[in-house]
Each structure stands twice: as C-alpha cells, then as structure tokens.
Amino acid sequence: WRSGDTYTIRWDTANLGGSVKLQLLKAGKPYKTIRAKTRNDGKYRWKVPASVKSGNKYQIRIVSTKKKTISDSSDKNVTITKKRSKKKTK
C-alpha cells in the first residue's frame, strides 16, 4: 500500500455487533486508529495518511465497539510505502 492512496479494508461481520473500531497495528501493537467507530458492514474505504511511516510489519485489527474482547487481525502483514513525488520537467 502507498501513502495517499485509498484501499478497501474488508472483514467478516460475524459476532462483532453493529459497529466496529478499525486499527492499524505495527509489529502487533496499536499504531494508529483508522476509524474509531464505523458500521459493521464488512468494508471500509481508507486513504493511507502520509504520516504513516514506511514499513512491512503492519496489520489491520477490527474490534467490536460493543464487546472489546471480540476482535480479529489480518492474517498477513501489510507493507506501506511512501508515495513517490512527481518530478517536474522543464
């Protein structure tokens, strides 16, 4: 994934309740809240902020807002890279 680009995060809605919290984990620890509360409809469009550092140890965690002990994280790591700036030509 590249900072500045938008991606769809998808998850299984079972047992999570009516709304969920989306988190970005880095090396298994909370790094950034993607969305504090969103509908548990199985998808969310997220534009990766430029403030997220490049790395390959990111995961997405979905947490029930009703019962915080119910959560799941992505099985595979996500790599985030900085978007390349466009060079101006004369």
Side-chain angles (χ1 to χ4, degrees):
W1 293 6
R2 284 191 298 232
S3 60
D5 288 351
T6 301
Y7 300 90
T8 300
I9 299 168
R10 296 184 187 278
W11 65 91
D12 184 353
T13 61
N15 300 322
L16 289 168
S19 60
V20 294
K21 177 179 182 177
L22 304 174
Q23 293 179 308
L24 181 65
L25 307 179
K26 185 174 185 180
K29 296 180 181 174
Y31 176 75
K32 185 173 204 58
T33 297
I34 295 171
R35 184 75 180 190
K37 188 174 183 180
T38 189
R39 229 171 5 139
N40 182 23
D41 61 1
K43 64 184 183 305
Y44 181 79
R45 300 266 301 153
W46 182 51
K47 183 176 181 178
V48 180
S51 62
V52 176
K53 296 178 182 179
S54 293
N56 62 358
K57 295 186 178 185
Y58 290 104
Q59 289 178 292
I60 306 296
R61 178 189 286 163
I62 311 298
V63 183
S64 170
T65 56
K66 189 173 184 179
K67 193 168 184 180
K68 304 207 183 322
T69 57
I70 300 175
S71 68
D72 195 17
S73 299
S74 54
D75 295 332
K76 295 181 180 179
N77 285 349
V78 174
T79 298
I80 295 177
T81 58
K82 292 290 182 188
K83 194 170 199 168
R84 295 177 193 233
S85 59
K86 295 179 181 177
K87 293 181 180 179
K88 292 183 179 180
T89 55
K90 292 183 179 181

Coordinates of all heavy atoms in Angstrom, one line a residue:
W1 N 0.8 -1.2 0.0 CA 0.0 0.0 0.0 C 0.9 1.2 0.0 O 2.0 1.2 0.6 CB -0.9 0.0 1.2 CG -1.9 -1.1 1.3 CD1 -2.1 -2.1 0.4 CD2 -2.9 -1.2 2.2 NE1 -3.1 -2.9 0.8 CE2 -3.7 -2.4 1.9 CE3 -3.3 -0.5 3.3 CZ2 -4.8 -2.8 2.6 CZ3 -4.4 -0.9 4.1 CH2 -5.1 -2.1 3.7
R2 N 0.4 2.3 -0.6 CA 1.2 3.6 -0.7 C 0.4 4.7 0.1 O -0.8 4.8 -0.1 CB 1.4 4.0 -2.1 CG 2.5 3.2 -2.8 CD 2.8 3.9 -4.1 NE 1.7 3.9 -5.0 CZ 1.7 3.4 -6.2 NH1 2.7 2.9 -6.7 NH2 0.6 3.5 -7.0
S3 N 1.1 5.5 0.8 CA 0.5 6.6 1.5 C -0.1 7.5 0.4 O 0.4 7.7 -0.6 CB 1.5 7.3 2.4 OG 2.6 7.8 1.6
G4 N -1.3 8.0 0.8 CA -2.0 8.9 -0.2 C -3.0 8.1 -1.0 O -3.9 8.8 -1.6
D5 N -2.9 6.8 -1.1 CA -3.8 6.0 -1.9 C -4.9 5.5 -1.0 O -4.7 5.3 0.2 CB -3.1 4.9 -2.6 CG -2.2 5.3 -3.8 OD1 -2.3 6.5 -4.2 OD2 -1.4 4.5 -4.3
T6 N -6.0 5.1 -1.7 CA -7.2 4.6 -0.9 C -7.4 3.2 -1.2 O -7.3 2.7 -2.3 CB -8.5 5.4 -1.3 OG1 -8.2 6.8 -1.1 CG2 -9.7 5.0 -0.6
Y7 N -7.7 2.4 -0.1 CA -7.9 1.0 -0.2 C -9.1 0.6 0.6 O -9.5 1.3 1.5 CB -6.7 0.2 0.4 CG -5.4 0.6 -0.3 CD1 -4.6 1.7 0.1 CD2 -4.9 -0.2 -1.4 CE1 -3.4 2.0 -0.5 CE2 -3.8 0.2 -2.0 CZ -3.0 1.2 -1.6 OH -1.9 1.6 -2.3
T8 N -9.7 -0.5 0.1 CA -10.9 -1.1 0.8 C -10.5 -2.2 1.8 O -9.8 -3.1 1.4 CB -11.9 -1.6 -0.2 OG1 -12.3 -0.6 -1.1 CG2 -13.1 -2.2 0.6
I9 N -10.8 -1.9 3.1 CA -10.5 -2.9 4.1 C -11.8 -3.8 4.2 O -12.9 -3.2 4.3 CB -10.2 -2.2 5.5 CG1 -8.9 -1.4 5.3 CG2 -10.0 -3.3 6.6 CD1 -8.7 -0.4 6.5
R10 N -11.6 -5.1 4.2 CA -12.8 -6.0 4.3 C -12.6 -6.9 5.4 O -11.5 -7.4 5.7 CB -12.9 -6.8 3.0 CG -13.2 -5.9 1.8 CD -13.5 -6.7 0.5 NE -13.6 -5.9 -0.7 CZ -14.7 -5.3 -1.0 NH1 -15.8 -5.4 -0.3 NH2 -14.7 -4.5 -2.1
W11 N -13.7 -7.3 6.1 CA -13.7 -8.2 7.2 C -15.0 -9.0 7.3 O -16.0 -8.6 6.7 CB -13.4 -7.5 8.5 CG -14.5 -6.6 8.9 CD1 -15.6 -6.8 9.7 CD2 -14.7 -5.2 8.5 NE1 -16.4 -5.7 9.9 CE2 -15.8 -4.7 9.1 CE3 -13.9 -4.3 7.8 CZ2 -16.3 -3.3 9.0 CZ3 -14.3 -3.0 7.6 CH2 -15.5 -2.5 8.2
D12 N -15.0 -10.1 8.0 CA -16.2 -10.9 8.3 C -16.9 -10.3 9.4 O -16.4 -10.0 10.5 CB -15.7 -12.3 8.7 CG -16.9 -13.3 8.9 OD1 -18.1 -12.8 8.9 OD2 -16.6 -14.5 9.1
T13 N -18.2 -10.0 9.2 CA -19.0 -9.2 10.2 C -19.5 -10.1 11.4 O -20.1 -9.5 12.3 CB -20.2 -8.6 9.5 OG1 -21.0 -9.6 8.9 CG2 -19.8 -7.6 8.4
A14 N -19.4 -11.4 11.3 CA -19.9 -12.2 12.4 C -19.5 -11.9 13.8 O -18.3 -11.6 14.0 CB -19.6 -13.7 12.1
N15 N -20.4 -11.9 14.7 CA -20.1 -11.7 16.2 C -19.5 -10.4 16.6 O -19.1 -10.2 17.7 CB -19.2 -12.8 16.7 CG -19.8 -14.2 16.5 OD1 -21.0 -14.4 16.6 ND2 -19.0 -15.2 16.1
L16 N -19.5 -9.4 15.7 CA -18.9 -8.1 16.1 C -19.9 -7.1 16.5 O -19.5 -6.0 17.1 CB -18.1 -7.6 14.9 CG -16.8 -8.4 14.6 CD1 -16.2 -7.9 13.2 CD2 -15.7 -8.2 15.7
G17 N -21.2 -7.3 16.3 CA -22.1 -6.3 16.7 C -22.4 -5.3 15.6 O -22.0 -5.5 14.5
G18 N -23.1 -4.2 16.0 CA -23.5 -3.2 15.0 C -22.4 -2.3 14.5 O -22.5 -1.7 13.4
S19 N -21.4 -2.0 15.3 CA -20.3 -1.2 14.9 C -19.0 -1.7 15.3 O -18.9 -2.5 16.3 CB -20.5 0.3 15.4 OG -20.6 0.3 16.8
V20 N -17.9 -1.3 14.6 CA -16.6 -1.7 14.9 C -15.6 -0.6 14.9 O -15.8 0.5 14.4 CB -16.1 -2.8 13.9 CG1 -16.9 -4.0 14.0 CG2 -16.1 -2.2 12.5
K21 N -14.4 -0.8 15.5 CA -13.3 0.1 15.5 C -12.2 -0.5 14.6 O -12.0 -1.7 14.7 CB -12.7 0.3 16.9 CG -11.5 1.1 17.0 CD -11.1 1.3 18.5 CE -9.9 2.2 18.7 NZ -9.5 2.3 20.1
L22 N -11.6 0.3 13.8 CA -10.5 -0.2 12.9 C -9.2 0.4 13.4 O -9.1 1.6 13.5 CB -10.8 0.2 11.4 CG -12.1 -0.2 10.8 CD1 -12.3 0.4 9.5 CD2 -12.2 -1.7 10.8
Q23 N -8.2 -0.5 13.5 CA -6.9 0.0 14.0 C -5.8 -0.5 13.0 O -5.9 -1.6 12.4 CB -6.6 -0.6 15.4 CG -7.4 -0.2 16.5 CD -7.0 -0.9 17.8 OE1 -6.9 -2.1 17.8 NE2 -6.7 -0.1 18.8
L24 N -4.8 0.3 13.0 CA -3.6 -0.1 12.3 C -2.6 -0.5 13.3 O -2.3 0.2 14.3 CB -3.0 1.1 11.4 CG -1.8 0.8 10.6 CD1 -2.0 -0.3 9.5 CD2 -1.2 2.0 10.0
L25 N -2.1 -1.8 13.2 CA -1.1 -2.3 14.2 C 0.3 -2.2 13.5 O 0.4 -2.4 12.3 CB -1.4 -3.7 14.6 CG -2.8 -4.1 15.1 CD1 -2.8 -5.6 15.4 CD2 -3.1 -3.3 16.3
K26 N 1.3 -2.0 14.3 CA 2.7 -2.1 13.8 C 3.4 -3.0 14.7 O 3.5 -2.8 15.9 CB 3.3 -0.7 13.8 CG 4.7 -0.7 13.1 CD 5.3 0.7 13.0 CE 6.6 0.7 12.3 NZ 7.1 2.0 12.1
A27 N 4.0 -4.1 14.1 CA 4.6 -5.1 14.9 C 3.7 -5.7 16.0 O 4.2 -5.9 17.1 CB 6.0 -4.6 15.4
G28 N 2.4 -5.8 15.8 CA 1.5 -6.3 16.7 C 0.9 -5.4 17.8 O 0.1 -5.8 18.5
K29 N 1.4 -4.1 17.7 CA 0.9 -3.2 18.7 C 0.2 -2.0 18.1 O 0.5 -1.7 16.9 CB 2.1 -2.6 19.5 CG 2.9 -3.6 20.3 CD 4.1 -3.0 21.0 CE 4.8 -4.2 21.7 NZ 6.0 -3.7 22.3
P30 N -0.9 -1.5 18.8 CA -1.6 -0.4 18.2 C -0.7 0.8 17.8 O 0.1 1.2 18.5 CB -2.6 0.0 19.3 CG -2.7 -1.2 20.2 CD -1.4 -1.9 20.1
Y31 N -0.9 1.2 16.5 CA -0.1 2.3 16.0 C -0.9 3.5 15.7 O -0.6 4.6 15.9 CB 0.6 1.8 14.7 CG 1.4 2.8 14.0 CD1 2.7 3.2 14.5 CD2 1.0 3.3 12.8 CE1 3.4 4.1 13.8 CE2 1.7 4.3 12.1 CZ 2.9 4.7 12.6 OH 3.7 5.6 11.9
K32 N -2.1 3.3 15.1 CA -3.0 4.4 14.6 C -4.4 3.9 14.6 O -4.7 2.8 14.1 CB -2.5 4.9 13.3 CG -3.2 6.1 12.7 CD -2.5 6.5 11.5 CE -2.7 8.0 11.2 NZ -2.3 8.9 12.1
T33 N -5.4 4.7 15.0 CA -6.8 4.4 14.8 C -7.2 4.8 13.4 O -7.0 6.0 13.0 CB -7.6 5.1 15.8 OG1 -7.3 4.7 17.2 CG2 -9.1 4.9 15.6
I34 N -7.7 3.9 12.6 CA -8.1 4.1 11.3 C -9.5 4.8 11.4 O -9.7 5.8 10.7 CB -8.2 2.8 10.4 CG1 -6.7 2.3 10.3 CG2 -8.8 3.1 9.1 CD1 -6.7 0.9 9.6
R35 N -10.4 4.2 12.2 CA -11.7 4.7 12.4 C -12.2 4.3 13.8 O -12.2 3.1 14.0 CB -12.7 4.2 11.3 CG -14.0 4.8 11.3 CD -14.1 6.2 10.8 NE -15.5 6.7 10.9 CZ -15.8 7.8 10.4 NH1 -15.0 8.5 9.7 NH2 -17.1 8.2 10.5
A36 N -12.5 5.2 14.6 CA -12.9 4.9 16.0 C -14.3 4.1 16.0 O -14.5 3.3 16.9 CB -13.1 6.2 16.8
K37 N -15.2 4.4 15.1 CA -16.4 3.7 15.0 C -17.0 3.8 13.6 O -17.1 4.9 13.1 CB -17.4 4.4 16.0 CG -18.7 3.6 16.2 CD -19.6 4.2 17.3 CE -20.8 3.4 17.5 NZ -21.6 4.0 18.6
T38 N -17.3 2.7 13.1 CA -18.0 2.6 11.8 C -18.9 1.4 11.7 O -18.8 0.5 12.6 CB -16.9 2.5 10.6 OG1 -17.6 2.6 9.4 CG2 -16.2 1.1 10.7
R39 N -19.9 1.5 10.8 CA -20.8 0.4 10.7 C -20.2 -0.9 10.4 O -19.2 -1.0 9.7 CB -21.8 0.7 9.5 CG -23.2 0.6 9.9 CD -24.1 1.1 8.8 NE -23.4 1.5 7.6 CZ -23.9 1.3 6.3 NH1 -25.0 0.6 6.2 NH2 -23.2 1.7 5.3
N40 N -20.6 -2.0 11.1 CA -20.1 -3.3 10.8 C -20.7 -3.9 9.6 O -21.6 -4.8 9.6 CB -20.4 -4.2 12.0 CG -19.8 -5.6 11.9 OD1 -18.9 -5.8 11.1 ND2 -20.3 -6.6 12.6
D41 N -20.4 -3.4 8.4 CA -20.9 -3.8 7.2 C -19.9 -4.6 6.3 O -20.2 -5.0 5.2 CB -21.5 -2.7 6.3 CG -20.5 -1.6 6.0 OD1 -19.3 -1.8 6.3 OD2 -20.8 -0.6 5.4
G42 N -18.7 -4.9 6.9 CA -17.7 -5.7 6.2 C -16.8 -5.0 5.3 O -15.9 -5.6 4.7
K43 N -16.9 -3.6 5.2 CA -15.9 -2.9 4.4 C -15.8 -1.5 4.8 O -16.7 -0.9 5.4 CB -16.4 -3.0 2.9 CG -17.7 -2.3 2.6 CD -18.1 -2.5 1.2 CE -19.4 -1.8 0.8 NZ -20.5 -2.1 1.5
Y44 N -14.6 -0.9 4.5 CA -14.3 0.5 4.9 C -13.3 1.0 3.9 O -12.2 0.3 3.7 CB -13.9 0.6 6.3 CG -13.6 2.1 6.7 CD1 -14.6 2.9 7.0 CD2 -12.3 2.6 6.7 CE1 -14.4 4.2 7.3 CE2 -12.0 3.9 7.0 CZ -13.1 4.7 7.4 OH -12.9 6.0 7.7
R45 N -13.5 2.1 3.3 CA -12.5 2.7 2.4 C -11.6 3.6 3.2 O -12.1 4.5 3.9 CB -13.2 3.6 1.3 CG -14.1 2.7 0.4 CD -13.6 2.2 -0.8 NE -13.0 3.2 -1.7 CZ -12.1 3.0 -2.6 NH1 -11.5 1.8 -2.7 NH2 -11.6 4.0 -3.4
W46 N -10.3 3.4 3.1 CA -9.3 4.1 3.9 C -8.2 4.7 3.0 O -7.6 4.0 2.2 CB -8.7 3.2 4.9 CG -7.7 3.9 5.9 CD1 -7.9 5.0 6.6 CD2 -6.4 3.4 6.2 NE1 -6.8 5.3 7.3 CE2 -5.8 4.3 7.1 CE3 -5.6 2.3 5.8 CZ2 -4.6 4.1 7.6 CZ3 -4.4 2.1 6.3 CH2 -3.8 3.1 7.2
K47 N -8.0 6.0 3.2 CA -6.9 6.7 2.5 C -5.7 6.7 3.5 O -5.8 7.2 4.6 CB -7.3 8.1 2.1 CG -6.2 8.8 1.3 CD -6.6 10.2 0.9 CE -5.5 10.8 0.1 NZ -6.0 12.2 -0.4
V48 N -4.6 6.0 3.1 CA -3.5 5.9 4.0 C -2.9 7.3 4.1 O -2.4 7.9 3.1 CB -2.4 4.9 3.4 CG1 -1.2 4.8 4.3 CG2 -3.1 3.5 3.2
P49 N -2.8 7.8 5.4 CA -2.2 9.1 5.6 C -0.7 9.2 5.3 O 0.0 8.2 5.5 CB -2.5 9.4 7.0 CG -3.2 8.3 7.6 CD -3.3 7.2 6.6
A50 N -0.2 10.3 4.9 CA 1.2 10.5 4.7 C 2.0 10.4 6.0 O 3.2 10.1 5.9 CB 1.4 11.9 4.0
S51 N 1.3 10.5 7.1 CA 2.0 10.4 8.4 C 2.4 9.0 8.8 O 3.3 8.8 9.7 CB 1.2 11.0 9.5 OG 0.0 10.3 9.6
V52 N 1.9 8.0 8.1 CA 2.2 6.6 8.4 C 3.6 6.3 7.7 O 3.8 6.5 6.6 CB 1.2 5.6 7.8 CG1 1.6 4.2 8.0 CG2 -0.2 5.9 8.4
K53 N 4.5 5.9 8.6 CA 5.9 5.6 8.2 C 5.9 4.3 7.3 O 5.1 3.4 7.5 CB 6.8 5.4 9.4 CG 6.9 6.7 10.2 CD 7.8 6.4 11.4 CE 7.9 7.7 12.2 NZ 8.7 7.5 13.4
S54 N 6.9 4.3 6.4 CA 7.1 3.1 5.5 C 7.5 1.9 6.4 O 8.2 2.1 7.4 CB 8.2 3.3 4.5 OG 7.8 4.3 3.6
G55 N 7.0 0.7 6.1 CA 7.3 -0.5 6.8 C 6.6 -1.7 6.3 O 5.6 -1.5 5.6
N56 N 7.0 -2.8 6.8 CA 6.3 -4.1 6.3 C 5.7 -4.9 7.4 O 5.3 -6.0 7.2 CB 7.3 -4.9 5.5 CG 8.5 -5.4 6.3 OD1 8.6 -5.0 7.5 ND2 9.3 -6.1 5.7
K57 N 5.6 -4.3 8.6 CA 5.1 -5.1 9.8 C 3.7 -4.5 10.2 O 3.4 -4.6 11.4 CB 6.1 -5.1 10.9 CG 7.3 -5.8 10.5 CD 8.3 -5.9 11.7 CE 9.5 -6.7 11.2 NZ 10.4 -6.9 12.3
Y58 N 2.9 -4.0 9.3 CA 1.6 -3.5 9.7 C 0.5 -4.6 9.5 O 0.6 -5.5 8.7 CB 1.2 -2.3 8.7 CG 2.0 -1.1 9.0 CD1 3.0 -0.7 8.1 CD2 1.8 -0.3 10.1 CE1 3.8 0.4 8.3 CE2 2.5 0.9 10.3 CZ 3.5 1.2 9.4 OH 4.3 2.3 9.7
Q59 N -0.5 -4.5 10.4 CA -1.7 -5.3 10.3 C -2.9 -4.5 10.5 O -2.8 -3.4 11.1 CB -1.7 -6.5 11.3 CG -0.7 -7.5 11.0 CD -0.7 -8.6 12.1 OE1 -0.3 -8.3 13.3 NE2 -1.1 -9.8 11.8
I60 N -4.1 -4.9 10.1 CA -5.3 -4.3 10.4 C -6.1 -5.1 11.4 O -6.1 -6.3 11.3 CB -6.2 -4.2 9.1 CG1 -5.5 -3.6 7.9 CG2 -7.5 -3.5 9.4 CD1 -5.1 -2.1 8.1
R61 N -6.6 -4.4 12.5 CA -7.4 -5.1 13.5 C -8.8 -4.5 13.5 O -9.0 -3.3 13.4 CB -6.8 -4.9 14.9 CG -7.6 -5.5 16.0 CD -7.2 -5.2 17.4 NE -5.9 -5.9 17.7 CZ -5.1 -5.5 18.7 NH1 -5.4 -4.5 19.4 NH2 -4.1 -6.3 18.9
I62 N -9.8 -5.4 13.6 CA -11.2 -5.0 13.7 C -11.6 -5.3 15.1 O -11.4 -6.5 15.6 CB -12.1 -5.8 12.7 CG1 -11.5 -5.7 11.3 CG2 -13.5 -5.3 12.7 CD1 -11.4 -4.4 10.7
V63 N -12.2 -4.4 15.8 CA -12.6 -4.6 17.2 C -14.1 -4.2 17.4 O -14.5 -3.2 16.9 CB -11.8 -3.7 18.2 CG1 -12.1 -4.0 19.6 CG2 -10.3 -3.9 18.0
S64 N -14.9 -5.1 18.0 CA -16.2 -4.8 18.3 C -16.3 -3.6 19.3 O -15.6 -3.5 20.3 CB -16.9 -6.0 19.0 OG -18.2 -5.6 19.5
T65 N -17.2 -2.6 19.0 CA -17.3 -1.5 19.9 C -18.2 -1.8 21.1 O -18.2 -1.1 22.1 CB -17.8 -0.2 19.2 OG1 -19.1 -0.5 18.6 CG2 -16.9 0.3 18.1
K66 N -19.0 -2.9 20.9 CA -19.9 -3.3 22.0 C -19.2 -4.2 23.0 O -19.4 -4.0 24.2 CB -21.1 -4.1 21.4 CG -22.2 -4.4 22.4 CD -23.4 -5.0 21.6 CE -24.5 -5.2 22.6 NZ -25.7 -5.7 21.9
K67 N -18.3 -5.1 22.5 CA -17.6 -6.0 23.4 C -16.1 -6.1 22.9 O -15.8 -6.8 22.0 CB -18.2 -7.4 23.3 CG -17.7 -8.3 24.4 CD -18.6 -9.5 24.6 CE -18.1 -10.4 25.7 NZ -18.9 -11.6 25.9
K68 N -15.3 -5.3 23.6 CA -13.9 -5.1 23.1 C -13.1 -6.3 23.1 O -12.0 -6.3 22.5 CB -13.3 -4.0 23.9 CG -14.1 -2.7 23.9 CD -13.3 -1.4 24.1 CE -14.1 -0.2 24.1 NZ -15.2 0.0 23.2
T69 N -13.5 -7.4 23.8 CA -12.7 -8.6 23.8 C -12.9 -9.4 22.5 O -12.2 -10.3 22.2 CB -13.2 -9.5 25.0 OG1 -14.6 -9.8 24.9 CG2 -12.8 -8.9 26.3
I70 N -13.9 -9.0 21.6 CA -14.1 -9.6 20.3 C -13.3 -8.8 19.3 O -13.7 -7.6 19.0 CB -15.6 -9.7 20.0 CG1 -16.3 -10.5 21.1 CG2 -15.7 -10.3 18.6 CD1 -17.8 -10.6 20.9
S71 N -12.3 -9.4 18.7 CA -11.5 -8.7 17.7 C -10.8 -9.7 16.8 O -10.8 -10.9 17.1 CB -10.5 -7.8 18.3 OG -9.5 -8.6 19.0
D72 N -10.3 -9.2 15.7 CA -9.5 -10.1 14.8 C -8.6 -9.2 14.0 O -8.8 -8.0 13.7 CB -10.4 -10.8 13.8 CG -9.7 -12.0 13.1 OD1 -8.6 -12.4 13.6 OD2 -10.2 -12.5 12.1
S73 N -7.4 -9.8 13.7 CA -6.4 -9.0 13.0 C -6.1 -9.7 11.6 O -6.4 -10.9 11.5 CB -5.1 -9.0 13.8 OG -5.3 -8.3 15.0
S74 N -5.6 -9.0 10.7 CA -5.3 -9.5 9.4 C -4.3 -10.7 9.5 O -3.4 -10.6 10.4 CB -4.8 -8.5 8.4 OG -3.7 -7.8 9.0
D75 N -4.4 -11.7 8.7 CA -3.6 -12.9 8.8 C -2.2 -12.6 8.3 O -1.2 -13.1 8.7 CB -4.1 -14.0 8.0 CG -5.4 -14.5 8.6 OD1 -5.6 -14.4 9.8 OD2 -6.3 -15.1 7.8
K76 N -2.1 -11.7 7.3 CA -0.8 -11.3 6.7 C -0.5 -9.9 7.0 O -1.4 -9.0 7.2 CB -0.8 -11.5 5.2 CG -1.0 -13.0 4.8 CD -1.0 -13.1 3.3 CE -1.2 -14.6 2.9 NZ -1.3 -14.7 1.4
N77 N 0.8 -9.6 7.0 CA 1.3 -8.2 7.2 C 1.0 -7.4 5.9 O 1.0 -7.9 4.8 CB 2.8 -8.2 7.5 CG 3.1 -8.6 8.9 OD1 2.2 -8.7 9.7 ND2 4.3 -8.8 9.2
V78 N 0.9 -6.1 6.1 CA 0.7 -5.1 5.0 C 1.9 -4.3 5.0 O 2.4 -3.8 6.0 CB -0.6 -4.2 5.3 CG1 -0.7 -3.1 4.3 CG2 -1.8 -5.1 5.4
T79 N 2.4 -4.1 3.8 CA 3.6 -3.2 3.6 C 3.1 -1.8 3.1 O 2.3 -1.7 2.2 CB 4.6 -3.7 2.5 OG1 5.0 -5.0 3.0 CG2 5.7 -2.8 2.3
I80 N 3.5 -0.8 3.8 CA 3.1 0.6 3.4 C 4.4 1.3 3.0 O 5.4 1.3 3.7 CB 2.5 1.3 4.6 CG1 1.1 0.6 4.9 CG2 2.2 2.8 4.3 CD1 0.4 1.2 6.1
T81 N 4.3 2.0 1.9 CA 5.4 2.8 1.3 C 5.0 4.2 1.1 O 3.8 4.5 0.9 CB 6.0 2.2 0.0 OG1 4.9 2.1 -0.9 CG2 6.5 0.8 0.2
K82 N 5.9 5.1 1.0 CA 5.7 6.5 0.7 C 5.4 6.6 -0.7 O 6.0 6.0 -1.6 CB 6.8 7.4 1.1 CG 7.1 7.5 2.6 CD 6.0 8.2 3.3 CE 6.2 8.4 4.7 NZ 5.1 8.9 5.4
K83 N 4.4 7.5 -1.1 CA 4.1 7.8 -2.5 C 5.2 8.6 -3.1 O 5.7 9.5 -2.5 CB 2.8 8.5 -2.5 CG 2.2 8.6 -3.9 CD 0.8 9.2 -3.8 CE 0.1 8.8 -5.1 NZ -1.3 9.0 -5.0
R84 N 5.6 8.2 -4.2 CA 6.7 8.9 -4.9 C 6.2 10.2 -5.4 O 5.1 10.3 -6.0 CB 7.2 8.1 -6.1 CG 7.9 6.8 -5.7 CD 8.3 6.1 -6.9 NE 8.7 4.7 -6.5 CZ 9.8 4.2 -6.8 NH1 10.7 4.8 -7.5 NH2 10.1 2.9 -6.4
S85 N 7.0 11.3 -5.2 CA 6.6 12.6 -5.7 C 6.9 12.7 -7.2 O 7.8 12.1 -7.7 CB 7.3 13.7 -4.9 OG 8.7 13.5 -5.1
K86 N 6.0 13.4 -7.9 CA 6.2 13.6 -9.3 C 7.3 14.7 -9.6 O 7.2 15.7 -9.0 CB 4.9 14.0 -10.0 CG 3.8 12.9 -9.9 CD 2.6 13.4 -10.5 CE 1.5 12.3 -10.4 NZ 0.2 12.8 -11.0
K87 N 8.2 14.3 -10.4 CA 9.2 15.3 -10.8 C 8.8 16.2 -11.9 O 8.1 15.8 -12.8 CB 10.5 14.6 -11.2 CG 11.2 13.8 -10.1 CD 12.4 13.1 -10.7 CE 13.1 12.3 -9.6 NZ 14.3 11.6 -10.1
K88 N 9.1 17.5 -11.7 CA 8.7 18.5 -12.7 C 9.8 18.5 -13.8 O 11.0 18.4 -13.5 CB 8.6 19.9 -12.1 CG 7.4 20.0 -11.2 CD 7.2 21.4 -10.6 CE 6.0 21.5 -9.7 NZ 5.9 22.8 -9.2
T89 N 9.4 18.6 -15.0 CA 10.3 18.6 -16.1 C 10.2 20.0 -16.7 O 9.2 20.6 -16.8 CB 10.1 17.6 -17.2 OG1 8.7 17.7 -17.6 CG2 10.3 16.2 -16.6
K90 N 11.4 20.5 -17.2 CA 11.4 21.8 -17.8 C 11.2 21.7 -19.3 O 11.6 20.8 -20.0 CB 12.7 22.5 -17.5 CG 12.8 22.8 -16.1 CD 14.1 23.6 -15.8 CE 14.2 23.9 -14.4 NZ 15.5 24.7 -14.1

